[in-house]
Amino acid sequence: MGMSIRTAEQAGAWLEGLINHERQASFRNARLDLEPIRRLLSRLGHPEQSLSIVHVAGSKGKGSTCLLAEAVLQAAGERVGTFTSPHLERWTERFRVGGQEVPGLALAAAVEAVRPHVEALIAADAAKAPTFFDATTAAALVLFARSNVDRVVLEVGLGGRLDSTNAVDPVVTVVTQIELEHTDRLGTTLAAIAGEKAGIIKAGVPCVVGDLAAEALEVVCARARFVGAPVARLGHEFRVERSPGSGTGSVDDLPRPFLYREDDFEIDDLTLPVLGEHQLGNAALAIAAIRRLDAHSEEKLARAARIGLAAVRLPGRLELIRTRPHVLIDAAHTRESIRALASVLAGQPAVRRHIVISISSDKDAAGILAALSKVADEFWITRADRIRSLEPDTLARLASERAPSAILHCIEDPRAAVRAAYQALGVDDLLCCTGSVFLAGAARGALRELGLGSKIAQLDI
């Protein structure tokens, strides 16, 4: 068996090894049930059973909703464990305790607790062994059980029904949004994908649902009726409203005031220091989910929501690194999320808009570039990951077709591309680094090296 894990780097390397094993052509572990993760958790003494879990699924918005819920719960005095994925720069980002990224030693110890069991199960029957995400999820649950948290906020990895995280019994579930994504594994219609997301809904456990298309909402509500779970829908049982005179959505208007409303309950004077209308909906989902825990009085929840949301940071999600010139990082990588980004960028005052971009080879590069072409004056084309990202020449060809009037620069090294774009900015220009999670991570590193580290403190240990 392998050597013991003593550092975060070794933990990451071991987890990466599981990913590489699964990429091999001989690997045939098509996820048909939750048996591998259940077997692993059983061997670990069921760490999940001691935890009170908020379980969050969705095509997009789920990571933001997790961090918004964490912020409100922390402000309400709870010690929270939060598990999200993927990471931007370091493995430890995926695991948070008490509102902080966990220390490398704590992650190493949790992964080391999981490692021998995973290796024993692989040796016994590789076809039914735990996957990379099974092992990562189990490590998170071990870590949280050891950290004596009051609450866990758990983000689904992919889908919901057969996702590793669905081996838990939550106290509330959230389905944020549903769009066509991962159609090779989740189905080719909104209804089919909604069926996978709705797989996290459990008997008698309250479910909070975002603003879904009618056909997706129908599937989610049918599942909830079938298992006997009460449902609260954004825009129906609870809603969010901009306060009058809250501005246009530009950087200059932050933070913008809003209010949360249910039939018999309202929180006014809320503020959110982040860009994007959709984040208000995510904040409402977080508040609605926490309200359904019945753990805090209405007065305490209102106070916690005001305090927690006002100070929240969402790394890599329309993350504002500086103003004048405005510098943003956004990990958007689907056509829908890029369209949302483009509409935010269109609302920013800027003389010239510079976009540093890298796109993974399995994404809709043409659609992404078409959406950005409406707001980009200059593209800085790069390659954030040597294996998974499109070659700059390919991307440049697509960009010249989709955005013929934009100036194109090709710089293969992502950090060099970010540095060059930043140094080309005029004081009234805007820079946005986007197109992939890999690029968002590289951009954070490059901007930190340029002396913007204090603005990126959220992810620093």
Side-chain angles (χ1 to χ4, degrees), residues 155-330:
E155 181 190 3
V156 166
L158 177 71
R161 182 174 64 93
L162 297 176
D163 187 71
S164 309
T165 60
N166 207 27
V168 306
D169 290 316
V171 288
V172 63
T173 59
V174 182
V175 178
T176 59
Q177 294 175 355
I178 292 172
E179 66 178 56
L180 289 174
E181 35 101 48
H182 299 294
T183 49
D184 55 328
R185 281 179 280 180
L186 300 182
T188 55
T189 65
L190 282 180
I193 292 173
E196 293 297 318
K197 309 286 184 201
I200 71 165
I201 299 174
K202 306 286 191 300
V205 176
C207 179
V208 175
V209 181
D211 185 15
L212 307 185
E215 62 183 294
L217 184 62
E218 197 175 307
V219 172
V220 171
C221 289
R223 165 74 185 171
R225 278 194 305 274
F226 179 72
V227 301
V231 172
R233 302 160 296 168
L234 176 62
H236 297 268
E237 286 75 21
F238 65 99
R239 56 199 157 280
V240 62
E241 295 170 20
R242 275 273 175 226
S243 302
S246 64
T248 60
S250 85
V251 168
D252 303 329
D253 295 324
L254 290 178
R256 297 169 72 194
F258 69 103
L259 57 88
Y260 172 93
R261 183 173 285 157
E262 288 191 42
D263 293 341
D264 54 345
F265 176 63
E266 184 178 300
I267 311 176
D268 59 4
D269 298 329
L270 289 165
T271 54
L272 203 54
V274 296
L275 289 164
E277 284 301 302
H278 58 288
Q279 295 295 5
L280 295 186
N282 292 334
L285 288 169
I287 294 169
I290 293 165
R291 186 163 191 237
R292 278 148 186 82
L293 297 171
D294 287 332
H296 305 286
S297 70
E298 292 185 345
E299 294 76 16
K300 188 176 178 186
L301 174 57
R303 190 168 64 247
R306 289 187 190 107
I307 294 167
L309 296 177
V312 81
R313 292 285 300 272
L314 301 177
R317 298 165 180 91
L318 279 165
E319 184 180 11
L320 184 62
I321 304 299
R322 69 160 294 171
T323 55
R324 306 220 51 230
H326 300 331
V327 178
L328 291 160
I329 298 175
D330 193 78

Side-chain angles (χ1 to χ4, degrees), residues 14-275:
W14 182 77
L15 291 168
E16 284 277 1
L18 293 178
I19 299 178
N20 293 336
H21 167 65
E22 288 163 31
R23 287 211 187 103
Q24 291 168 9
S26 59
F27 185 75
R28 287 282 174 270
N29 188 350
R31 172 43 79 67
L32 299 173
D33 58 46
L34 293 170
E35 210 40 55
I37 178 74
R38 288 185 174 135
R39 205 174 288 133
L40 178 57
L41 291 173
S42 174
R43 291 180 65 122
L44 289 162
H46 286 292
E48 79 285 1
Q49 290 180 359
S50 65
L51 302 171
S52 173
I53 296 173
V54 177
H55 198 192
V56 184
S59 303
K60 61 183 184 205
K62 58 183 188 287
S64 295
T65 301
C66 286
L67 292 174
L68 293 162
E70 174 197 85
V72 177
L73 287 164
Q74 289 277 140
E78 294 195 12
R79 180 171 164 83
V80 185
T82 309
F83 177 57
T84 57
S85 56
H87 59 275
L88 295 172
E89 297 177 77
R90 295 179 298 279
W91 280 98
T92 42
E93 291 167 35
R94 297 176 181 231
F95 312 84
R96 295 164 59 83
V97 172
Q100 301 290 319
E101 186 179 327
V102 300
L105 286 174
L107 174 60
V111 174
E112 174 57 23
V114 170
R115 179 190 61 80
H117 297 293
V118 172
E119 291 178 349
L121 289 164
I122 289 172
D125 186 350
K128 294 179 183 170
T131 63
F132 150 75
F133 199 67
D134 290 336
T136 309
T137 301
L141 296 169
V142 166
L143 183 66
F144 297 149
R146 290 178 171 184
S147 301
N148 295 318
V149 296
D150 301 305
R151 195 86 56 193
V152 168
V153 182
L154 198 64
E155 181 190 3
V156 166
L158 177 71
R161 182 174 64 93
L162 297 176
D163 187 71
S164 309
T165 60
N166 207 27
V168 306
D169 290 316
V171 288
V172 63
T173 59
V174 182
V175 178
T176 59
Q177 294 175 355
I178 292 172
E179 66 178 56
L180 289 174
E181 35 101 48
H182 299 294
T183 49
D184 55 328
R185 281 179 280 180
L186 300 182
T188 55
T189 65
L190 282 180
I193 292 173
E196 293 297 318
K197 309 286 184 201
I200 71 165
I201 299 174
K202 306 286 191 300
V205 176
C207 179
V208 175
V209 181
D211 185 15
L212 307 185
E215 62 183 294
L217 184 62
E218 197 175 307
V219 172
V220 171
C221 289
R223 165 74 185 171
R225 278 194 305 274
F226 179 72
V227 301
V231 172
R233 302 160 296 168
L234 176 62
H236 297 268
E237 286 75 21
F238 65 99
R239 56 199 157 280
V240 62
E241 295 170 20
R242 275 273 175 226
S243 302
S246 64
T248 60
S250 85
V251 168
D252 303 329
D253 295 324
L254 290 178
R256 297 169 72 194
F258 69 103
L259 57 88
Y260 172 93
R261 183 173 285 157
E262 288 191 42
D263 293 341
D264 54 345
F265 176 63
E266 184 178 300
I267 311 176
D268 59 4
D269 298 329
L270 289 165
T271 54
L272 203 54
V274 296
L275 289 164

Side-chain angles (χ1 to χ4, degrees), residues 434-447:
T434 191
S436 80
V437 173
F438 306 113
L439 181 68
R444 290 177 122 255
L447 292 167

